Amino acid sequence: MADDPMTEPPQRVGFLLVPNFSMMALSAVLEPFRAANWVARRTLYDWRLLSVDGEPVTASNSGVLMAQGAIGPEDSFTMIVVVAGLDPQEGRDERILAWLRRMARRGSRLGAVSTGTYHLAWAGLLDGYRCTIHWENLSAFTETFPRLDVTGRLFEIDRDRFTSAGGTASLDMTHYLIGQAHGIDLANQVAEQFLHARPRQGHAPQRMELRERLGVSHPKLLAAIAEIEANLAEPLPRAALARAAGLSTRQLERLFRIYLNCTPSQYYLEARLKHAQILLAQTSMPILEVAVACGFASASHFAKCYRSLFSHSPRAERAPRPAGPMQVMGQRRAW
């Protein structure tokens, strides 16, 4: 910050909108900057909405947002925020990557929300930095970039790079960024503008606890499910799963029947197949590699199980999707 904060020039922020970007993730960063100006009664942040060609950009909710300009060689920004969302592979554009590298050379602070982390990684701008991404993209991202330091935390701020998992995590991250630049008092006043009473720290978990997510409170059943989620690539035998949870196999079967109306084997298979669906949708891994990564010994057995659960083949998962709101595992992604 400058010696006299009242004469400090505003931070110029470029929001790069990638097709199918998350409107929520954009608002969670832009709106706190607007509120910071309002609370401070002066312009602390000045921003522009950018697209690769200056044309309007369609969000993941099918809304269309007008860009205020195209990315260009003469751009100068204090901070760049890449805003992405669904299907990061479809939004990959070498013009974007070249522009991000140019902005990095000019000293811009580079950040991303939701799957915007992919674009920074493709540009080689996360090498040597901690980063994070939405939990549903985490496995695919680490498969694609095995050498990056991917933490899976709510948000990461590492020197001149910042990334968030998207959704409300972007609100928490922006609270932290405002506090860094202008002090925690202002950041807290901004948080109160949004009734954001308890901004979370970056190390907070992305997902609900298993207890809340499944509506189950039995500690030993939860322990068994945690073991399942931690061992998707090499499924544990039923006896080993029961032993890890401190149960007999009969007790394990009984708990799954009572609380989840299925057997442990059925639950385990569905968890592996849902993980496979994510890898098929978000990576270019061959189907056989996806099968192996999810604990299947053969592609044919994998395909048979996949079709039984989802009513289509693994190959069909990669077929072009219709325009408009998109479906993932039967539910619309909100982030």
Side-chain angles (χ1 to χ4, degrees):
M1 295 178 59
D3 292 338
D4 182 357
M6 295 303 293
T7 62
E8 179 187 357
Q11 294 193 47
R12 298 194 68 241
V13 185
F15 287 96
L16 175 58
L17 308 181
V18 179
N20 272 326
F21 73 93
S22 165
M23 193 78 80
M24 182 174 184
L26 170 64
S27 298
V29 182
L30 192 155
E31 283 296 301
F33 287 162
R34 176 199 59 78
N37 291 348
W38 172 265
V39 171
R41 298 181 181 274
R42 62 191 182 90
T43 304
L44 301 176
Y45 299 93
D46 185 19
W47 56 83
R48 283 178 64 80
L49 303 180
L50 306 169
S51 67
V52 69
D53 52 11
E55 294 298 313
V57 188
T58 302
S60 58
N61 63 5
S62 296
V64 179
L65 204 59
M66 298 293 294
Q68 296 169 293
I71 59 175
E74 303 305 319
D75 288 335
S76 176
F77 291 99
T78 313
M79 185 187 306
I80 304 290
V81 184
V82 183
V83 189
L86 295 177
D87 297 317
Q89 295 283 350
E90 290 187 8
R92 180 169 181 166
D93 190 316
E94 292 303 320
R95 293 172 294 177
I96 289 176
L97 307 187
W99 182 76
L100 289 172
R101 295 184 193 108
R102 187 183 302 118
M103 293 300 99
R105 290 194 295 270
R106 291 187 177 178
S108 296
R109 195 176 190 186
L110 301 178
V113 291
S114 192
T115 58
T117 307
Y118 266 98
H119 298 270
L120 295 183
W122 283 325
L125 297 171
L126 291 178
D127 297 349
Y129 290 88
R130 295 188 312 278
C131 64
T132 193
I133 198 167
H134 190 278
W135 64 266
E136 199 171 46
N137 300 94
L138 189 60
S139 294
F141 187 81
T142 53
E143 289 275 356
T144 306
F145 304 102
R147 296 186 179 182
L148 291 186
D149 184 1
V150 190
T151 68
R153 291 168 54 162
L154 207 61
F155 63 86
E156 284 289 354
I157 299 176
D158 186 357
R159 292 160 289 164
D160 56 352
R161 301 288 186 271
F162 56 94
T163 51
S164 97
T168 58
S170 303
L171 192 62
D172 297 300
M173 181 181 71
T174 310
H175 175 269
Y176 195 93
L177 291 171
I178 292 171
Q180 271 190 331
H182 303 289
I184 193 63
D185 287 345
L186 178 66
N188 286 341
Q189 289 180 67
V190 169
E192 289 193 323
Q193 289 287 313
F194 297 101
L195 310 183
H196 191 200
R198 292 182 178 84
R200 296 167 294 180
Q201 295 297 306
H203 57 73
Q206 288 191 28
R207 304 192 70 183
M208 295 179 182
E209 296 293 332
L210 274 175
R211 183 186 305 271
E212 299 168 334
R213 183 159 27 113
L214 299 175
V216 170
S217 59
H218 196 291
K220 292 192 174 182
L221 177 59
L222 291 172
I225 293 171
E227 287 295 323
I228 286 173
E229 294 192 353
N231 294 278
L232 296 177
E234 296 183 10
L236 297 175
R238 184 179 57 172
L241 183 61
R243 190 163 51 250
L247 296 165
S248 68
T249 55
R250 184 176 178 182
Q251 290 172 322
L252 183 72
E253 293 277 349
R254 182 172 176 271
L255 287 176
F256 270 86
R257 284 291 187 191
I258 291 173
Y259 289 96
L260 299 173
N261 195 32
C262 66
T263 67
S265 297
Q266 289 169 331
Y267 187 95
Y268 214 148
L269 178 61
E270 185 167 331
R272 290 157 57 205
L273 290 169
K274 287 182 176 180
H275 182 56
Q277 188 181 47
I278 291 171
L279 293 179
L280 287 168
Q282 298 176 9
T283 74
S284 57
M285 292 170 64
I287 290 175
L288 179 57
E289 286 187 19
V290 172
V292 171
C294 298
F296 292 88
S298 71
S300 59
H301 181 226
F302 169 61
K304 180 181 178 181
C305 295
Y306 198 93
R307 185 182 292 277
S308 177
L309 180 62
F310 297 115
S311 300
H312 59 261
S313 69
R315 192 173 303 280
E317 193 67 54
R318 286 178 165 164
R321 298 176 185 236
M326 302 181 69
Q327 301 285 328
V328 176
M329 290 195 288
Q331 297 180 344
R332 298 187 186 210
R333 281 182 180 161
W335 44 268

